[in-house]
Amino acid sequence: MRLAKGLLGLLMALPLLASAEEIGQVSTVFKFVGPNDRIVVEAFDDPKVEGVTCYLSRAKTGGVKGGLGLAEDRAEASIACRQVGPIRFKGDLKDGDEVFKERTSLVFKTMQVVRFLDKKRNTLVYLVYSDRLIEGSPQNAVTAIPILPWVPVQQ
């Protein structure tokens, strides 16, 4: 019982992060055994900014190691975030807030998305990058969303 309460407390202390929904994928390299190497497109909503959805495309390694979750995925990723409704903030935003994080190797490598607020230009900026416990990668991608009034489409 004490262990369960401790785990629950730990989970509640973790920052609120988005979870991704797979939109689609394409195969890039055929593998005889295990899944093929592929590019996956995922979407997630910003947990602290209502009305913003981000789309990530990234490589996923296949084969036996990839099928078992033991392969290390490449560091490259692409991101595009869009306003999909009225923008409303759910609490205070800090520059560099982690919005999304996913493991890209068995232990030491992660891909993450962080958010910045450019107050001067009234714009949300999202950065995707990969890091490793010992050494990260300078490869990154950035996207920006101007904070504008939302005008619903008339049908």
Side-chain angles (χ1 to χ4, degrees), residues 21-56:
E21 167 190 351
E22 187 174 308
I23 301 299
Q25 60 177 288
V26 294
S27 179
T28 58
V29 175
F30 173 76
K31 299 286 185 175
F32 284 105
V33 179
N36 293 341
D37 288 355
R38 59 201 187 283
I39 297 172
V40 177
V41 177
E42 300 170 313
F44 66 88
D45 298 324
D46 187 324
K48 281 190 159 182
V49 182
E50 188 178 311
V52 170
T53 298
C54 293
Y55 298 89
L56 286 173

Side-chain angles (χ1 to χ4, degrees), residues 84-101:
V84 295
I87 291 181
R88 292 188 191 95
F89 300 118
K90 302 176 187 174
D92 294 332
L93 301 184
K94 290 187 329 191
D95 277 345
D97 268 347
E98 194 173 86
V99 178
F100 177 82
K101 186 174 190 173

Side-chain angles (χ1 to χ4, degrees), residues 123-136:
T123 300
L124 291 165
V125 180
Y126 293 83
L127 169 71
V128 62
Y129 67 99
S130 181
D131 67 356
R132 204 180 283 173
L133 186 61
I134 304 298
E135 179 184 341

Side-chain angles (χ1 to χ4, degrees), residues 1 14 17 25 32 48 51 57 72 80 86 131:
M1 185 64 161
L14 290 175
L17 294 179
Q25 60 177 288
F32 284 105
K48 281 190 159 182
S57 71
E72 183 172 304
D131 67 356

